[in-house]
Amino acid sequence: MVELLAPAGNFISLRAVLENGADAVYFGLDEYNMRANAKNFSLTDLDKVSEIAREYGAKTYLCTNIILNERLAGELEAKLDSISSSEIDGLILSDIGLIEDTVSHGLEAHVSVQENVTNSYTLKTLKKLGAKRAILSRELSLKEITEITSKSPIETEIFIHGAICMAISGRCFLSYGLYGRSANCGDCLQPCRKNWTLTYEEGDDNVINFSDVEDERFIITGSDDGSYRTNFFSPKDMCMIEHIPELMKSGVASFKIEGRARSPDYGAMVTGVYREAIDDYEKDPLNYNVRPEWMDELASVFNRGFDTNFYFNTPFETSEDNQSKYVKKDIGQVVNYYGKVKAAEIRIWDDLNIGDKIMIQGQTTGSITHTVDSMQIEGQSVEHVEKGCNVAIAIPVKVRQNDFIYKLIER
C-alpha cells in the first residue's frame, strides 16, 4: 500500500492534511529546511506535532534538507536527542554525513531530493549508510523510476503534485546571485517566477523560439517597446492525478505532495483529491476511472497551470502567476459553534449571501470549504447579511471559536 505524504507549513495545515487522509506528513524545523519563509515549527513544537499525527495514525518526517555548513551540521547533530524524544518518525536529510547519527537515535533516515538520486547504485550505497528511503530526482522519467525502484534495496519516494524548480532537484543559485538570499539554505525569493525582459543584438533572429508542440505557441513574446518578455524560468506545477495507475505500478513506496509554503486549503484540497484517487485504484484497479471533478478541484486552489514534469516527456510549457479559479477574501471570524443545532455564529466584516462559498480555517479545524445554504439573525432566516453583523450559519462540521472565515470569489 503506497503512502500519501502531505506537507504541513504550520499547525492549521497539519490538521488540514490529516483530516483529508494523509498517511504521513512532512514539515520543517526552523533554520534547517528549504522553506525558511514558511511558518515552520520549533523544536518545542515537535511533541505536539507527534501527538496530533498519532490521533490519525500518521507518520511524521522532519525536513532538515538545506545545505549544512559545519556550524549547522554540528547544531543539528546536537538536537537529535530532543528530536528523537519527541517521537518524530524520521528525518529528511540532504547531507548523507548525518545518516548514521540519525539512525543511532532511533530515527528513520530519508535522503532528500536535494541529493539528486538518479540510479540504483546510489541507493545501494545509501542502504549501507543506514538510509531507509530516498526521494528520487525530479528529472527522472516514470520508466526510469520504475526500473530504479525494482533494483533498489531501500524505499523510494517521488513527488506527484506541486511546484517545480527550474534547477536540478532544486539546487539553484539565482536568488543568491541577485539578492544574496540562498535557495540552498531555504531562503529563495523566487526570481525565476517573475516576468523577465530579454534584449539581444540587432540582427539575431534566433531569439524567438517556438515550442515543438502542435499549436506552436510562443514561449518568448515581443513587446511594444521592442523588448521580449518570458516566463521560461518558471515551470508549471506538476499534476499527476490523471496517471495514478502508472504511478501505482512503479513500485514506489511514497507519493509526495509539494507545498509547505502554501495555504492550508491547498493542502486540504490536494490531499483529499489524491486520497480519493489512490483509494479508488486500490479498491478496484481493473475498473479505475479518473473522476472529472478531480482536475477542477485541483485547479480551484493555488496553481501555476499543470504539467507532468519529466515523467513522460521534457516539460515545454512555461507558467504564469496563480491560475486558481478563486481568490480568498478575509471576511470574518467564528464567535461560537453550537453542536446541538450544528450552527456557527460568525462575526463578519464583509457582505455574505446564501450560495456564497466560504472557507473556515483554524489550528484544530484545519481547512473546511462550505457553501452557505442557511443563515439566521436573531432566529430569523435571511438571504443576505451586510458587514458588521453577527450571523448564524448552518454548517455540519464542527468549527471553533476564533477560526478565520474567507469568502471564495471566482476570478
Side-chain angles (χ1 to χ4, degrees), residues 116-363:
N116 195 217
V117 176
T118 57
N119 59 69
S120 62
Y121 298 93
T122 301
L123 291 165
K124 290 171 185 175
T125 299
L126 294 175
K127 167 71 173 178
K128 294 175 184 177
L129 294 174
K132 181 177 181 181
R133 179 186 296 179
I135 299 93
L136 298 180
S137 169
R138 287 185 288 206
E139 290 70 44
L140 294 169
S141 69
L142 190 56
K143 181 179 178 182
E144 290 172 316
I145 288 167
T146 303
E147 181 181 4
I148 292 167
T149 299
S150 70
K151 299 175 182 177
S152 177
I154 62 175
E155 295 178 354
T156 58
E157 176 180 305
I158 56 173
F159 284 91
I160 60 167
H161 195 93
I164 297 298
C165 180
M166 69 166 188
I168 294 176
S169 288
R171 293 211 165 195
C172 181
F173 292 92
L174 189 58
S175 179
Y176 185 79
L178 291 173
Y179 311 118
R181 303 277 289 273
S182 175
N184 299 305
C185 292
D187 198 18
C188 184
L189 294 185
Q190 297 191 320
C192 59
R193 303 297 184 185
K194 298 183 185 300
N195 190 291
W196 287 74
T197 301
L198 302 179
T199 59
Y200 68 105
E201 293 182 7
E202 194 67 31
D204 184 358
D205 295 329
N206 293 323
V207 71
I208 303 299
N209 295 311
F210 292 90
S211 62
D212 56 3
V213 292
E214 290 181 3
D215 66 358
E216 292 187 333
R217 69 184 65 189
F218 282 109
I219 62 170
I220 301 177
T221 56
S223 299
D224 293 338
D225 62 3
S227 65
Y228 292 86
R229 301 183 188 280
T230 179
N231 289 93
F232 61 27
F233 287 134
S234 181
K236 290 190 173 185
D237 285 1
M238 178 194 294
C239 178
M240 295 295 290
I241 192 62
E242 295 178 319
H243 302 282
I244 293 299
E246 298 98 310
L247 293 174
M248 295 292 286
K249 294 171 185 175
S250 69
V252 168
S254 182
F255 294 168
K256 189 172 194 173
I257 298 167
E258 186 277 337
R260 279 184 292 128
R262 294 193 179 181
S263 61
D265 48 289
Y266 171 88
M269 178 64 75
V270 176
T271 303
V273 167
Y274 280 95
R275 177 76 279 156
E276 287 183 358
I278 292 168
D279 289 350
D280 279 5
Y281 180 84
E282 289 183 334
K283 287 175 186 175
D284 193 356
L286 296 178
N287 295 305
Y288 175 83
N289 289 299
V290 177
R291 298 189 200 177
E293 65 266 25
W294 286 339
M295 188 61 79
D296 290 338
E297 290 171 354
L298 293 173
S300 71
V301 291
F302 185 97
N303 69 87
R304 298 185 178 94
F306 294 128
D307 201 346
T308 55
N309 196 36
F310 289 92
Y311 281 126
F312 302 109
N313 62 343
T314 301
F316 53 80
E317 294 183 290
T318 55
S319 74
E320 297 180 4
D321 293 330
N322 183 12
Q323 296 183 29
S324 66
K325 293 182 178 180
Y326 298 97
V327 176
K328 289 189 301 183
K329 185 175 184 181
D330 179 8
I331 67 158
Q333 200 164 22
V334 175
V335 176
N336 209 339
Y337 183 76
Y338 302 96
K340 289 185 178 180
V341 294
K342 297 188 181 302
E345 179 186 356
I346 63 173
R347 180 173 64 255
I348 61 169
W349 39 83
D350 198 356
D351 294 353
L352 189 63
N353 297 284
I354 294 292
D356 282 346
K357 184 175 285 189
I358 62 172
M359 185 175 292
I360 306 170
Q361 294 183 351
Q363 283 198 16

Side-chain angles (χ1 to χ4, degrees), residues 44-57:
T44 56
D45 288 331
L46 298 187
D47 286 330
K48 185 176 180 182
V49 171
S50 295
E51 180 183 347
I52 292 171
R54 284 197 299 273
E55 292 176 23
Y56 299 84

